[in-house]
Amino acid sequence: MEHTKTARNSSIGDKIFDVCNIIFMIILVILTLYPFLNMFALSFNDANDSIRGSIYIWPREWTLRNFEYVFNESNVFYATFISAARTIIGTIISVFCTAMLAYTISRPEYALKKFVSMTFIFTMYFSGGLIPTYLLNKELGMLNSFWVYIIPGIIGVFNMIVIRSFIEGLPEGIMESAKMDGAGDFITFARIVLPLTIPALATVSLFVAVSQWNSWFDVFLYNSSRPNLSTLQYELMKVLSTSSATTSSGGSAADAFANAQGNVTTVTPTSVRATMTIVASVPIIMVYPFLQKYFVKGMVVGGVKG
């Protein structure tokens, strides 16, 4: 009887915990998704109607006018291309070079392993600062250049540590067998290490891709005078700045946009800001489902090793 009563109490406690856990997760999901859904609703809602307010997660009057206005801006398409190019090229080069460095440092026979590791880790805590970095890029001739987006961040120390830890967990016998078959270090790295570290590479790739896609400050510093090298996030920043300046000045933002559109309010700063946010966010969000399976695989492999 006591055992049955204890089991019953335990079962009731588990049910209460599950209910509270579910309620907490639902609230967390709502708090996480609401800002994005609100931006979605505002971007697809008629700007004149949005001025009335009470737009939450669903458009009241559907329209594509906001997107037409944004994409009719001459620089948005080209900025999207630059953002995509720096994300793809920067991610591929950074992940490959970081993985090569991680493999080199992970090898026990490498005499300078500890020194090189400490040198790179030192840069995580101490940097030259903004002005020395700017002067260095200037001396390297990377101002007003696309490569200023790629080369300065080609090695990520944290990413290197992640990949190195994963490589060190691989069976050493696999790499020893490859060397016995006459494979050099680069062949071993390219044909054995890279395929086995795909979960870690996928994780790092997402980190680098998100950083590249969301970056705008380097555009402001190095390429603000070159509209053809502007990125989508930098254009979004300019839209946000313009909207804030318009709103803080005398008169309403809607009136200012109405004057710009020939006294017909087709868009407002709020609708443009929401539309630009959606345009800038959706592409990188669409990448995640393709990498999620590698995250799961990495967790399973790590669990087996543990």
Side-chain angles (χ1 to χ4, degrees), residues 25 139 217 290 306:
M25 293 304 296
E139 291 298 321
F217 192 62
F290 297 99

Side-chain angles (χ1 to χ4, degrees), residues 3 14 67 81 125 140 260:
H3 178 73
D14 291 341
F67 287 90
F81 171 77
Y125 300 98
L140 293 175

Side-chain angles (χ1 to χ4, degrees), residues 248-264:
S248 61
S249 62
S252 68
D255 292 339
F257 266 62
N259 294 331
Q261 296 295 315
N263 295 325
V264 178

Side-chain angles (χ1 to χ4, degrees), residues 107 166-176 192 196 305:
R107 306 311 304 141
F166 198 92
I167 294 175
E168 289 176 344
L170 297 176
E172 186 65 26
I174 298 178
M175 286 172 270
E176 290 180 356
I192 296 178
L196 292 176
K305 291 176 183 175

